[in-house]
Amino acid sequence: MNEIGKIAAQPDYSDKARAVLSREPRLFIGGEWVATAHGKTIAVYDPSTGRQVASVVDASVEDVNRAVAAARTAFDDGRWSGLA
């Protein structure tokens, strides 16, 4: 492989970045962080190294319905619709 095809060594993540990436995956619904209804996640990979760095929630239909209902409530009671 020639020099152009080599990837430089990547620095390790900072402590803060590592803490964020290692958090339990959650959804923000109705003003709070909640677990997904079915517990499934999707792996997130660093494209420069190919290593898994985190997981994100794979929202289910039930999760989306909860989020839409919370948004509708926030709109109807004025929390969103009343903003400038």
Side-chain angles (χ1 to χ4, degrees):
M1 179 180 282
N2 61 31
E3 290 297 315
I4 294 174
K6 292 183 181 178
I7 296 176
Q10 300 296 304
D12 200 12
Y13 299 111
S14 69
D15 290 339
K16 285 192 179 235
R18 200 175 301 109
V20 168
L21 293 170
S22 66
R23 289 188 309 206
E24 179 183 354
R26 309 285 259 176
L27 297 166
F28 195 69
I29 299 175
E32 60 184 307
W33 291 101
V34 297
T36 181
H38 60 55
K40 294 181 182 178
T41 60
I42 300 169
V44 177
Y45 294 92
D46 180 334
S48 68
T49 63
R51 74 177 173 180
Q52 183 176 342
V53 295
S55 294
V56 295
V57 173
D58 180 13
S60 68
V61 170
E62 182 180 340
D63 296 324
V64 173
N65 289 339
R66 285 190 300 161
V68 169
R72 179 85 251 177
T73 298
F75 183 83
D76 290 342
D77 70 15
R79 282 179 279 168
W80 283 0
S81 57
L83 295 174

